[in-house]
Amino acid sequence: MTQSATNASEAAAYYDADEVAAFYRLCWGGADIHIGRYDTGCETVAEASLAMTRYLLSLAKLRERDRVLDIACGYGGTLRELARLGCNASGIDISQVCVDEARRANDEAGLSKKVSVEVGDFHDIQSPDAVYDACVCQESIIHSTNRPRVFAEVLRVLKSGGVFAFSDILTAENADLALVNAAFERLGVQGGATPADYRRMAEEAGFEIEHAEERPGDIKTHYAKLAEQLETPPAGLSDDTVETLKASIQRWRTALAGRHITWACFIARKPQRT
């Protein structure tokens, strides 16, 4: 399967772009590129991002020495948290910029010998079958134009009984798709996939869903925090970039205010072989 057939090259170009990388590095806390968990609303983006990672990993019930693959590891914050839990963590990401930053941050944290990161495509994971105890993916399947392929690949590389912990930004039921697509435009993706669609795709691949949860309030708060940051933008973002981001985030906030976009996480299990 070629990258163009799966939109992987387009996703790589998006995350490798200088202005996009600067936005995520400066405004999303620097360690993660995903929605945070806001229990009080007073959390910073960085604090909330780490809290969401810890929440998803807690749902997965990972054990020390589990072999875990993050199939879209971004800047590697989840990998470092996995290493601190005692897991054998490795990650792939389609973006060379993300991989380079993850490696740099891993080295800074003294974890470069415990965590491996490579450029890779979650549509075609370079791994033998049935080698991982768990896989993780946070807000990245949205970039795929062949999501069933992603679920099939994860199922393939998981051991019998292995777990797939994943989250994503999704289209709410009965949403105005025009508003969703206006928000998603900056990502270069189209809306339409709902939490029910993800459940169906995972089950059709062969997974059993153990947990499914929507938390639309978190993504609404997250984008409010991003908008607030851009009112006094950090050094490193050009004026043109800031104005473009402000317009994009306003489209997100409009769709979120109308409950057209949601966020959901899932714990899916590969059935035990009998």
Side-chain angles (χ1 to χ4, degrees):
M1 179 168 291
T2 65
Q3 284 195 344
S4 60
T6 61
N7 205 42
S9 59
E10 290 86 348
Y14 171 76
Y15 285 102
D16 284 343
D18 290 344
E19 67 275 11
V20 172
F23 171 54
Y24 285 127
R25 187 179 68 255
L26 297 171
C27 296
W28 287 64
D32 295 294
I33 309 175
H34 60 77
I35 301 304
R37 179 183 172 95
Y38 296 91
D39 289 323
T40 69
C42 297
E43 299 88 348
T44 66
V45 169
E47 290 167 343
S49 294
L50 178 57
M52 189 64 87
T53 293
R54 288 175 171 170
Y55 178 66
L56 185 64
L57 297 183
S58 72
L59 291 175
K61 297 181 172 60
L62 300 174
R63 298 163 299 183
E64 191 173 359
R65 292 188 293 277
D66 273 353
R67 190 175 182 186
V68 185
L69 176 67
D70 187 335
I71 63 168
C73 65
Y75 294 155
T78 299
L79 293 174
R80 293 185 287 279
E81 189 63 20
L82 286 165
R84 295 182 186 109
L85 291 173
C87 297
N88 297 315
S90 57
I92 60 172
D93 199 279
I94 200 65
S95 163
Q96 184 68 60
V97 168
C98 286
V99 168
D100 290 345
E101 174 58 21
R103 289 172 174 169
R104 185 206 64 76
N106 292 345
D107 185 60
E108 183 177 75
L111 296 170
S112 58
K113 293 183 179 179
K114 294 183 178 181
V115 177
S116 67
V117 186
E118 304 292 339
V119 173
D121 182 355
F122 56 24
H123 300 97
D124 187 18
I125 301 170
Q126 298 301 297
S127 167
D129 296 351
V131 296
Y132 292 101
D133 299 290
C135 288
V136 179
C137 187
Q138 291 166 279
E139 277 106 273
S140 296
I141 301 174
I142 187 175
H143 286 284
S144 174
T145 53
N146 192 346
R147 292 178 174 101
R149 172 74 178 186
V150 178
F151 287 108
E153 272 292 272
V154 173
L155 189 83
R156 179 183 67 79
V157 302
L158 282 174
K159 296 176 183 177
S160 175
V163 67
F164 184 24
F166 61 98
S167 62
D168 218 342
I169 298 168
L170 294 155
T171 302
E173 297 289 346
N174 302 313
D176 182 332
L177 199 54
L179 290 176
V180 175
N181 285 334
F184 286 4
E185 181 181 6
R186 182 173 60 85
L187 302 177
V189 301
Q190 293 288 307
T194 67
D197 291 324
Y198 269 41
R199 174 187 283 272
R200 173 183 52 78
M201 285 185 276
E203 290 176 340
E204 287 178 352
F207 284 104
E208 297 172 349
I209 301 297
E210 294 186 345
H211 180 89
E213 177 182 1
E214 289 187 59
R215 291 180 62 94
D218 287 318
I219 187 171
K220 186 175 180 181
T221 301
H222 196 90
Y223 272 87
K225 296 273 185 180
L226 294 176
E228 182 179 339
Q229 287 191 57
L230 290 176
E231 290 306 312
T232 309
L237 295 177
S238 70
D239 291 343
D240 286 347
T241 296
V242 169
E243 291 308 309
T244 298
L245 289 169
K246 283 183 176 180
S248 173
I249 287 172
Q250 184 54 51
R251 291 191 290 272
W252 277 89
R253 297 187 72 189
T254 297
L256 288 164
R259 299 177 181 261
H260 301 289
I261 294 174
T262 189
W263 179 97
C265 67
F266 302 82
I267 300 298
R269 182 82 56 183
K270 181 174 181 177
Q272 286 280 0
R273 186 179 303 158
T274 57

